Amino acid sequence: MAAISCSASDLQPLLGAAANATAAAQYICGRFDAVSNKFVDTAYAVDNTYLLFSAYLVFAMQLGFAMLCAGSVRAKNTMNIMLTNVLDAATGGLFYYLFGFALAFGTPSNGFIGQHFFGLNKFPSQSFDYSYFLYQWAFAIAAAGITSGSIAERTQFVAYLIYSSFLTGFVYPIVSHWFWSADGWASPARADNLLFGSGVIDFAGSGVVHLVGGIAGLWGALIEGPRIGRFDHEGRSVGLRGHSGTLVVLGTFLLWFGWYGFNAGSFLNILKAYGESGSYYGQWSAIGRTAVTTTMAGCSAALTTLFGKRLLSGHWNLTDVCNGLLGGFAAITSGCSVVDPWAAIICGFVAAWVLMGCNKLAEKLKYDDPLEAAQLHGGCGSWGIIFTALFAKKAYVDEVYSGQPNRPYGLLMGGGGKLLAAHLVQIVVIVGFVSLTMGTLFFLLHKLKLLRISSEEEMAGMDVTSHGGLAYVYNEECNNQAMLKPGFMVSRTAPPSSAV
């Protein structure tokens, strides 16, 4: 918000020829400038508070990831998967502070990698405040959390630490620089030389976050191979069901709640008018619309999955509906700010079928992903990128990405195919770059025997073999440390009947 200036020389003639007119004009302008500066301060405070609150919402998604992951794995691996989610945040925080933020947003820089703000040196600046760092860190650890779901129940703990550090400190920041930094080669915020005259409209990260995390998880799960027992000796799929539908639902709702910070918060500020000031319509309206499109996509995907799975399997499946809901959110994340709510419903509907199709393909290929993370975030994220290029509305594109007249918009909205071309480029380069970096890392970990645990550890469960005990104590005997050894099998015991 620019300060409104007052000139004493312009005001003096209006005060007449009195002897003290000059002093009066200077005094009035001095008071006016002070009030104007207070409004500027207030605008900065409002926008930073909005961004901080959005960062808190996105960070709360880590709890959602932890609960969803815990409910989706077997009880014997509960502590392991929850600890990996904690360390995604902790490890990601340190490495994003040291390297990640600088590689992503260290302007001025070239189109491929940032060059300033390592360790938040010379921070804050005119461009960025601490709230912006916190918000972007929450996004970085979300990408790492996606990957952890794909390789759950069979991965060495040291491998989690290595891949999480590499993903949040190097791979994710470079991708986010390409598409979100003002200097990025495919960013819609560039001052000139926009990719296909548009840049990539990946508003909150269907590609930058979800596709990156999904492809990283895909390579980890492919190189590790499926869990023991996931496919029988004839290659048929065997369901290894998670142990708690309650935790799955809790995690899903926490992620739903946090997604409003993820998508609507990506505007970064709220106190901005569209056109003349004093109107009821401004960026606050676009933020509200973004929350609505996010909601509609998730609801549409959940209901489509509910009835789709009923037709395909004959069951009203809780876990599938929760994953379908999240698939709708992952898909709408790219275009949430530039599409109408009716288009978001289409987005969610298609995302549900994309997820179900990817899961069928995974079974055919004997690919094992306990959280369906690669299918959900990679498959639905890719659909979301394409969806945006089809349904982005000209009026919304001009509002959200102002400053570039005649910017291309959605193909099906009459905007031509340039935006679609840019978005297809995004999918190709993300898949290629993440495959090259994360695929190589997981392959090296595999060759160094640092990736997968032994079959004995996998059968016993990682809580016992790596974390000192079970997450749940079913009876008092489980407190005996001598029994908490590899190969120990916990059995449920019914409580003795009490005398009446």
Side-chain angles (χ1 to χ4, degrees):
M1 180 179 179
I4 303 172
S5 62
C6 174
S7 171
S9 60
D10 292 338
L11 181 60
Q12 180 180 346
L14 301 176
L15 299 177
N20 59 350
T22 300
Q26 291 173 345
Y27 176 80
I28 293 172
C29 281
R31 296 299 89 198
F32 185 88
D33 290 343
V35 172
S36 176
N37 289 335
K38 285 294 183 183
F39 278 115
V40 173
D41 294 343
T42 302
Y44 277 121
V46 169
D47 286 339
N48 273 276
T49 301
Y50 175 74
L51 189 56
L52 279 172
F53 180 72
S54 298
Y56 304 152
L57 286 176
V58 178
F59 179 67
M61 295 175 77
Q62 286 300 118
L63 178 57
F65 279 126
M67 295 300 99
L68 179 68
C69 290
S72 299
V73 302
R74 291 164 290 180
K76 63 183 180 180
N77 296 308
T78 305
M79 287 203 300
N80 172 263
I81 195 68
M82 288 199 291
L83 184 56
T84 62
N85 277 271
V86 173
L87 291 178
D88 280 339
T91 305
L94 183 61
F95 279 84
Y96 198 71
Y97 163 79
L98 291 174
F99 313 109
F101 185 84
L103 297 178
F105 300 103
T107 57
S109 63
N110 58 54
F112 291 91
I113 193 168
Q115 299 173 344
H116 303 280
F117 304 133
F118 289 95
L120 296 189
N121 185 38
K122 298 180 180 179
F123 208 83
S125 68
Q126 184 70 27
S127 303
F128 304 121
D129 209 333
Y130 288 106
S131 56
Y132 188 74
F133 165 80
L134 193 73
Y135 187 68
Q136 296 300 338
W137 159 72
F139 270 62
I141 61 175
I146 292 168
T147 305
S148 68
S150 294
I151 57 177
E153 297 202 284
R154 60 204 190 274
T155 305
Q156 291 189 46
F157 199 69
V158 66
Y160 280 111
L161 295 175
I162 294 172
Y163 98 76
S164 182
S165 304
F166 186 60
L167 183 62
T168 55
F170 180 75
V171 177
Y172 169 82
I174 289 179
V175 175
S176 58
H177 179 81
W178 293 349
F179 302 106
W180 284 348
S181 170
D183 298 323
W185 62 268
S187 172
R190 287 180 64 93
D192 54 18
N193 297 322
L194 291 169
L195 181 66
F196 291 104
S198 168
V200 172
I201 298 178
D202 188 7
F203 184 72
S206 289
V208 174
V209 179
H210 296 284
L211 186 55
V212 167
I215 296 300
L218 173 68
W219 280 106
L222 280 174
I223 292 171
E224 278 191 314
R227 292 166 292 173
I228 296 174
R230 179 64 179 86
F231 299 96
D232 65 17
H233 64 282
E234 295 181 356
R236 291 173 300 192
S237 174
V238 177
L240 300 179
R241 295 176 63 87
H243 79 282
S244 176
T246 302
L247 290 178
V248 169
V249 172
L250 175 60
T252 299
F253 274 113
L254 284 168
L255 287 168
W256 189 340
F257 179 65
W259 229 293
Y260 293 119
F262 205 95
N263 285 2
S266 290
F267 280 90
L268 306 180
N269 55 59
I270 190 171
L271 204 59
K272 177 181 178 182
Y274 291 155
E276 294 294 329
S277 297
S279 170
Y280 68 89
Y281 184 77
Q283 189 135 293
W284 47 88
S285 304
I287 288 170
R289 182 183 66 245
T290 298
V292 171
T293 57
T294 300
T295 304
M296 292 300 101
C299 293
S300 172
L303 292 174
T304 303
T305 305
L306 176 70
F307 291 105
K309 293 297 289 187
R310 173 68 174 178
L311 291 173
L312 294 173
S313 65
H315 301 291
W316 308 101
N317 191 293
L318 170 67
T319 303
D320 285 338
V321 170
C322 289
N323 283 340
L325 175 84
L326 298 176
F329 289 150
I332 195 62
T333 296
S334 173
C336 55
S337 64
V338 294
V339 300
D340 279 313
W342 63 262
I345 294 174
I346 297 174
C347 177
F349 175 81
V350 176
W353 290 107
V354 169
L355 179 57
M356 288 186 278
C358 287
N359 284 333
K360 279 292 183 183
L361 180 62
E363 286 188 13
K364 292 288 186 182
L365 299 177
K366 297 180 178 58
Y367 170 78
D368 181 24
D369 187 326
L371 273 290
E372 300 176 7
Q375 301 95 300
L376 193 161
H377 298 278
C380 295
S382 296
W383 155 241
I385 295 167
I386 296 171
F387 161 79
T388 304
L390 298 177
F391 288 93
K393 187 175 179 179
K394 177 176 173 54
Y396 300 154
V397 171
D398 290 341
E399 289 170 354
V400 177
Y401 298 96
S402 58
Q404 290 286 344
N406 301 316
R407 186 190 293 267
Y409 53 99
L411 174 64
L412 299 182
M413 307 300 287
K418 290 185 176 181
L419 183 59
L420 178 60
H423 283 210
L424 291 175
V425 168
Q426 182 192 26
I427 294 174
V428 170
V429 297
I430 287 179
V431 171
F433 179 71
V434 177
S435 296
L436 177 64
T437 52
M438 295 303 297
T440 301
L441 175 66
F442 282 123
F443 180 76
L444 290 175
L445 290 173
H446 170 69
K447 286 298 184 181
L448 294 172
K449 301 186 184 305
L450 294 175
L451 185 58
R452 184 157 185 161
I453 59 175
S454 67
S455 58
E456 292 79 10
E457 290 177 291
E458 188 173 342
M459 293 298 292
M462 297 181 69
D463 287 0
V464 168
T465 61
S466 298
H467 304 291
L470 299 162
Y472 305 103
V473 176
Y474 294 111
N475 53 52
E476 292 184 0
E477 291 179 341
C478 291
N479 290 323
N480 185 346
Q481 293 299 313
M483 301 183 70
L484 299 182
K485 295 181 178 179
F488 174 66
M489 182 76 70
V490 177
S491 59
R492 299 175 187 268
T493 58
S497 57
S498 58
V500 179

